[in-house]
Amino acid sequence: VGAFSLSADGRVATICVDTADYKGVRLPARNLGTDIGRVTGTAADVSLSLSSERGAVVVGTIGRNRQIDEWAKQGKLDVSAIEGKWESYLIQTVDGNLVIAGSDKRGTIFGIYDLSEKIGVSPWHYFADVPAQRHAALYVKPGRYVQDSPKVKYRGIFLNDEWPSLGGWASKKFGGFNSRFYAHVFELLLRLKANYMWPAMWAWSFYADDPENSKTAHDMGIIMGTSHHEPMARNHQEWARKRKQYGVWDYATNQKVLDRFFREGIERVKDTEDLITIGMRGDGDAPMGGKEGADHEYVNRDEYNMNLLKKVIKNQRKIIKDVTGRPADERPQVWAIYKEVQRFYDMGLRVPDDVIMLLCDDNWGNVRRLPNAEERKRPG
């Protein structure tokens, strides 16, 4: 009694999205319409007009959907529980309509995909060929559901060791790790309520090989990052392919070229949400101070590399500040404490408190360290 009819007796509710909302919201809205068809046999239409008729599914982001904002102004929809929060949403009926309101772009996206999963469409419908649960009718019980912000801010995956299995499949199916491939990965992540990923990097450059890769991620709402040895939003293959032109990957002897390389990376992503990896390791996932450090007159190689890394990070932060025009602590960054870098950390190397510290395993599943009480107080 009083349930909202999503699909019943041949009638399917129309999904309404404001044209002022994010592009990343419109795609999940269309997917929800398709998902209803997967379950009932009849897909839902998506409208970009804000109908005043009852019985619609109104999806939108606070501040970007005029109907949702009007209901909030009228006191019909209380958004105080989610407003201003990170990736939060609410689902509620208002004036006979089903409302999915998000605090931000991903809050709205997660709310839409939450409904998709509840009606019987698995996030793994594409990659694992999971069939939809079939139902003749779909109803939403009356009430109000509020999803608070996730406890972990950045949640995602790293497509590492991607050859030969994933690489062979992606090449055959899509022609490589391009935007057509990544669009499916991004959809999977969002359906799983993830928001972050490191891309395949053995033989591909996410940013350079297909400029649509970065645009697709930004449009869909995925925050990109790069691995521990791909600092400043640059992929290792970008350097490897021009190694003769660029010279040696050594900050001590080739700082000018490396600073330019780093700057170009930040310029490319300054208008995205991408999480910037800082720091530096050796060329091609190697420790710092291999052949590059052999001629330096330091008895303690670790001490030398640690001091060099301090300089790298200081200059990277300056590049971020100069390119974005904002203090470095306003652009989220991550430092991967991996392999020999953890040794430097244990020796006393530190980064500013706003930087996220990524603690790693030993490549065999054993976590090498956990944060202590003092480290857990860091804002990053």
Side-chain angles (χ1 to χ4, degrees):
V1 178
F4 176 84
S5 174
L6 195 59
S7 178
D9 301 323
R11 181 194 175 279
V12 183
T14 299
I15 301 167
C16 297
V17 186
D18 196 326
T19 53
D21 217 324
Y22 298 97
K23 183 176 181 179
V25 168
R26 296 198 293 272
L27 176 59
R30 291 196 298 270
N31 286 345
L32 175 60
T34 301
D35 290 346
I36 292 171
R38 289 188 174 109
V39 173
T40 67
T42 305
D45 292 329
V46 177
S47 173
L48 295 179
S49 63
L50 298 176
S51 173
S52 60
E53 296 180 8
R54 298 168 67 89
V57 180
V58 180
V59 301
T61 310
I62 295 172
R64 291 268 184 159
N65 184 292
R66 288 163 287 175
Q67 183 64 76
I68 288 175
D69 291 346
E70 181 63 24
W71 281 329
K73 184 179 178 181
Q74 294 171 353
K76 295 180 178 180
L77 181 67
D78 181 4
V79 299
S80 61
I82 67 170
E83 194 167 16
K85 291 189 175 181
W86 172 268
E87 298 178 352
S88 181
Y89 62 90
L90 65 83
I91 301 175
Q92 182 182 330
T93 51
V94 178
D95 287 349
N97 301 284
L98 180 66
V99 179
I100 303 175
S103 61
D104 55 16
K105 175 168 63 176
R106 276 183 299 277
T108 308
I109 292 169
F110 294 155
I112 294 169
Y113 283 137
D114 189 21
L115 183 59
S116 280
E117 189 169 15
K118 292 292 195 303
I119 67 174
V121 177
S122 168
W124 294 93
H125 72 93
Y126 177 78
F127 277 105
D129 298 312
V130 179
Q133 301 171 24
R134 299 304 297 268
H135 298 284
L138 294 170
Y139 295 92
V140 179
K141 292 180 181 179
R144 172 182 169 89
Y145 176 79
V146 176
Q147 175 60 56
D148 203 357
S149 299
K151 301 303 181 187
V152 178
K153 189 166 186 177
Y154 298 103
R155 313 166 307 281
I157 60 172
F158 179 17
L159 296 185
N160 195 15
D161 298 343
E162 64 271 14
W163 289 90
S165 298
L166 182 61
W169 177 80
S171 296
K172 182 177 180 180
K173 182 81 173 176
F174 300 102
F177 289 102
N178 52 33
S179 55
R180 291 171 55 232
F181 163 79
Y182 278 115
H184 288 286
V185 179
F186 297 157
E187 181 189 324
L188 171 65
L189 290 174
L190 294 167
R191 284 181 181 266
L192 291 169
K193 298 186 177 68
N195 61 7
Y196 178 58
M197 80 166 292
W198 289 358
M201 40 66 71
W202 271 21
W204 294 84
S205 167
F206 177 84
Y207 290 106
D209 288 343
D210 183 356
E212 289 296 311
N213 282 344
S214 180
K215 183 178 185 300
T216 300
H218 183 65
D219 286 347
M220 291 183 70
I222 291 295
I223 301 165
M224 295 302 300
T226 48
S227 77
H228 55 88
H229 77 290
E230 296 186 304
M232 302 290 275
R234 296 305 301 253
N235 301 120
H236 178 67
Q237 284 300 321
E238 295 184 82
W239 182 274
R241 294 167 187 171
K242 296 184 178 181
R243 192 174 278 114
K244 290 183 179 179
Q245 173 186 336
Y246 286 147
V248 68
W249 179 268
D250 181 2
Y251 203 75
T253 62
N254 202 16
Q255 177 183 337
K256 185 176 180 180
V257 173
L258 278 159
D259 280 346
R260 185 171 67 245
F261 186 72
F262 293 156
R263 179 178 290 272
E264 289 168 355
I266 302 304
E267 288 173 344
R268 191 166 53 187
V269 301
K270 66 179 181 179
D271 296 322
T272 71
E273 295 180 89
D274 291 5
L275 185 58
I276 307 301
T277 297
I278 61 171
M280 189 174 177
R281 294 190 71 230
D283 193 355
D285 198 11
M288 287 184 70
K291 292 181 180 179
E292 296 96 328
D295 296 327
H296 298 303
E297 295 180 359
Y298 277 77
V299 175
N300 189 324
R301 182 69 54 78
D302 277 354
E303 181 183 342
Y304 169 79
N305 287 322
M306 186 174 76
N307 288 327
L308 182 60
L309 193 50
K310 285 181 184 178
K311 181 179 179 181
V312 169
I313 292 171
K314 179 182 178 181
N315 290 347
Q316 287 173 337
R317 301 261 293 179
K318 183 179 185 304
I319 290 170
I320 292 170
K321 176 179 180 292
D322 291 345
V323 173
T324 64
R326 296 170 10 216
D329 60 9
E330 292 184 13
R331 181 62 189 246
Q333 297 148 56
V334 62
W335 181 43
I337 304 178
Y338 179 67
K339 294 210 171 181
E340 79 285 350
V341 178
Q342 181 170 326
R343 196 162 65 247
F344 302 157
Y345 183 81
D346 292 339
M347 292 170 61
L349 179 60
R350 294 294 183 268
V351 291
D353 277 353
D354 62 279
V355 177
I356 299 166
M357 296 197 308
L358 177 66
L359 303 177
C360 305
D361 68 27
D362 62 355
N363 284 349
W364 300 97
N366 303 299
V367 177
R368 298 178 67 192
R369 69 172 290 140
L370 294 174
N372 59 36
E374 194 61 33
E375 290 166 341
R376 287 196 294 272
K377 296 177 183 177
R378 297 178 71 260

